[in-house]
Amino acid sequence: MELLRSNLSRVRIPEPTNRIYKQECCISFDTPRSEGGLFVDMSSFLAFGREYVEWNYRKTGNPVYLNIKQTKQPNPEDRPLKKPTLLAIGLEGGFDYHEQDYEETYSIVVLPDYVYLPFPSVELPEKVRLAVDAILMAEGAERKEQVASWVADQKQVSSFARNLQQIDNRVVVPPSGWKCAKCDKVDNLWLNLTDGMILCGRKNWDGSGGNDHAIEHYKETNYPLAVKLGTITADLSAADVFSYPQDESVEDPLLAQHLAFFGIDFSSLQKTELTTAERELDQNTNFDWNRIQESGQEVEPLFGPGYTGLVNLGNSCYLASTMQVIFSTHSFRSRYYENQSLKVAFDTAPADPTVDLNTQLTKLGYGLLSGKYSVLAEQKEECENSTPTTASAKQEGIPPRMFKAVIAANHPEFSTMRQQDALEFFLHFLDQVERAHTGRPEQDPTRSFKFIIEERLVCPSRKVAYNKRTDCILSLNIPLHAATNKEEMEAFNKLKAEGKEMASSCSNSEAVRPRVPLEACLACFTAPEEVQDFYSTALNSKTTATKTTGLTTFPDYLVLHMRKFVMDVGWVPKKLDVYVDVPDIIDISHMRSKGIQPGEELLPEAVAGGEKVVEANGPFANEDIVAQLASMGFNYLHCQKAAISTSNVGVEEAMDWLLSHMDDPDINDPISQDICNAEPALDEGSVSMLISFGFSEEVARKALKASGGNIENATDWIFSNPDAANAADTNASSSTESRNDESGLPDGGGKYKLMAIVSHIGTSTHCGHYVAHVYKDGKWVIFNDNKVGASIDPPKDMGYLYFFERLNS
């Protein structure tokens, strides 16, 4: 006790603003359940495992710690499972949350001699008692980072429900025995809440479902709301109410009253039908879910170094699948595991290592690759000598909370706990790691993914221009016209159109999908394309140029992104239902671009100074737009600037820009090169959203610039101006000079071997589930959050991101 009193000056009582870590070590994945428990520094409030607390003592000199230990308690066998209340995986109240009872004990520990003092104890100094009480009562920093509400998408209250007209047709609906009033259908029946008509639902493509009588009745009467019989129970919130004018499921707050009008006692009814959402989920995701996750397969669980699962923090599978692949590459494995120790990372970290990317990446690398945490969940404390042999065996895994907090800091999307696009996260991750290596490019592991793309433009004068840019993915369109199973597709589509009984029995797994070879996708990338409105400095006018694209360097790791998400009718994102046949070995040697060739003549540079520069290197002002604006009384110079700033899209867009920039201090300045080339500040989230729809970054930025940053207007602009969307902004750049630094980027042969796949299940990149398959140690391995096993049937034809490793020449 005297030793503790002599160190009271190093003890702080935490304030409400202090971040307190008490659930996980800041440099390892040790927890209060680990051997020795967790040690909370009572000065910095950082937590350390038993193996690492001395490192902190030597670095900071802080000697007093609160030791927290948790010991597993047996659960009653008859304890009922809790029903999920939140739409999340792995969070309390969510799916697959198996609660375990633990007894928690506390001690005060004084280093370096590990002197233990029990807590609570009246003999402890009051300052220590107050500090410990505050630590234990405070919400942990780890938990604060997860304080996000996880609920299912709320159905909107129908605007037709409050004043719904109900017609007294003397209709009394019986509790069972329903039948469509216009045919013999006895399932998928809908009760119109206005007149009490019971009619069948919509017909599916395969002839199942109904005969469209309910929707036809709405078209004849305009009676807006119907409820699906068989979904009405005592829990009215689960009933499937559909609004025909809104064309979606809605909430009817007066449903009890509307049902009572037709004599329905909902309290005694049982559920006999799937809701619309449940049926769509079964039809659209069941096959993909089973195939990608290899459900039903006797997957052998794997344990040990490199086979550690990642705990799902709640829709964090996009992060887990990406990081499993990242740490399977030699560049990241060597940078953050083989060539850097945890001790060095901690010693060089700032005072708070939880906010240091280098420390948290090293921590994650050691967690994934050391094998320390790759043990069977049930075996960890009770049955270490047992051997997992069943597909149900599951490891505990490690939760990447601190890493997620660091990598997602200040990002508007990744800092939330919503599902995200794995591609967007991969690009964001590489960007953050590159920034962390500013001034130390030789240590930057992201360079193994980078390469130079070169575009060659030829105008009718036969003179050429070259543009270069650095990238780390090849985003590929999927040409459905190149499918190799066209005959099977035609037969299947004919069957769908005819709606024969054979089709109605066709499950999703038997449905025929287009099969497109990867070679066809790569060919689309390098195929010549026309560029409209290309300004040729040789012809001194706008013309049509031909553009071809290739790579001047080949990266160590080639990442292919399959553009499965496209825009459907009404600008609605749609996922292509397609297989891509991807071989284990590919050769992209033919895609190499070699720059200017003997005999080629470059387009002349634009004339420096004066209007020539503006005309050549920037968009010119469309005189029709300028004249119309000027006729309204606006200043002619202002009209020119408005037309240029909106890429000559139209009068309305130019006027909107003009009205919002009238008070700009430089509105009366002459048009200059800077004005023409000036890029408006764009919301990066909007850019990412358009990229996720399948548009290139260049087109996305151009469209947002032309539409004032509005995503809906930008999408409309892209489809309304396909030629302008495809035109190059740097029309007159004829120089081979580039801002991209090719020095230091890897290069080599064009042969690659498939080493990993990130697959997506669901209708959108922002919902559903991601799973990674990685080829390591001579076999394919599935990483499905904290489940790790030997893959039996890797879904090579269903990938969203494909990772290839270059073979040695």
Side-chain angles (χ1 to χ4, degrees), residues 27-89:
I27 53 174
S28 76
F29 291 94
D30 289 354
T31 70
R33 301 169 193 175
S34 301
E35 184 178 354
L38 206 60
F39 294 77
V40 180
D41 185 331
M42 295 189 67
S43 178
S44 68
F45 311 118
L46 294 171
F48 299 87
R50 175 65 178 82
E51 187 178 346
Y52 312 102
V53 65
E54 287 187 49
W55 296 359
N56 183 63
Y57 170 70
R58 296 193 192 104
K59 181 177 179 179
T60 65
N62 294 337
V64 185
Y65 296 83
L66 168 65
N67 180 239
I68 305 176
K69 283 186 180 179
Q70 291 181 348
T71 307
K72 185 184 294 185
Q73 300 296 303
N75 287 329
E77 295 183 0
D78 58 348
R79 186 178 70 172
L81 293 175
K82 290 189 177 182
K83 180 181 177 181
T85 57
L86 305 177
L87 185 59
I89 301 173

Side-chain angles (χ1 to χ4, degrees), residues 79 250 290 324 346 353 377 536 603 808:
R79 186 178 70 172
V250 296
N290 291 333
Q324 290 287 8
F346 176 68
S536 169
L603 283 165
N808 292 329

Side-chain angles (χ1 to χ4, degrees), residues 513-576:
R513 298 174 173 181
R515 283 196 168 274
V516 179
L518 177 63
E519 292 83 354
C521 303
L522 292 170
C524 279
F525 182 82
T526 57
E529 61 176 297
E530 290 188 345
V531 178
Q532 306 291 334
D533 294 329
F534 176 82
Y535 186 87
S536 169
T537 53
L539 302 176
N540 200 27
S541 64
K542 290 203 169 187
T543 184
T544 299
T546 301
K547 181 178 76 173
T548 54
T549 306
L551 282 63
T552 64
T553 63
F554 291 160
D556 290 337
Y557 293 96
L558 177 67
V559 184
L560 304 183
H561 162 234
M562 309 312 298
R563 290 184 174 176
K564 289 190 172 183
F565 297 91
V566 297
M567 299 302 293
D568 201 3
V569 179
W571 323 130
V572 178
K574 171 187 175 183
K575 184 177 182 180
L576 292 179

Side-chain angles (χ1 to χ4, degrees), residues 626-693:
V626 174
Q628 290 187 58
L629 290 176
S631 68
M632 301 176 192
F634 293 108
N635 179 284
Y636 190 82
L637 174 63
H638 300 176
C639 298
Q640 286 182 305
K641 287 188 174 184
I644 291 172
S645 298
T646 55
S647 300
N648 299 308
V649 175
V651 175
E652 184 177 349
E653 289 80 6
M655 182 180 291
D656 289 343
W657 183 94
L658 192 56
L659 294 175
S660 61
H661 290 79
M662 290 294 292
D663 297 328
D664 288 0
D666 60 351
I667 190 66
N668 293 313
D669 293 348
I671 296 175
S672 66
Q673 178 66 35
D674 292 338
I675 293 175
C676 291
N677 290 338
E679 288 289 337
L682 298 177
D683 176 39
E684 292 302 318
S686 299
V687 175
S688 298
M689 179 68 74
L690 286 178
I691 292 175
S692 71
F693 292 164

Side-chain angles (χ1 to χ4, degrees), residues 166 170-178 189-198 225-236 239-241 252 254-270:
Q166 290 194 284
R170 309 283 180 176
V171 172
V172 177
V173 178
S176 61
W178 308 302
L189 299 177
W190 294 79
L191 170 70
N192 191 288
L193 292 175
T194 294
D195 60 5
M197 286 286 286
I198 296 176
L225 300 182
V227 61
K228 188 173 186 179
L229 296 173
T231 68
I232 304 169
T233 66
D235 180 13
L236 280 183
D240 197 357
V241 180
D252 178 3
L254 302 178
L255 183 58
Q257 173 185 320
H258 293 154
L259 293 174
F261 187 85
F262 299 112
I264 297 177
D265 178 12
F266 60 87
S267 63
S268 61
L269 296 181
Q270 300 294 318

Side-chain angles (χ1 to χ4, degrees), residues 355-366:
V355 298
D356 180 54
L357 181 59
N358 179 64
T359 304
Q360 293 309 314
L361 271 173
T362 308
K363 169 183 171 177
L364 184 62
Y366 272 75

Side-chain angles (χ1 to χ4, degrees), residues 55 340-349 358:
W55 296 359
Q340 177 169 267
S341 68
L342 269 176
K343 180 73 163 56
V344 170
F346 176 68
D347 287 343
T348 57
N358 179 64

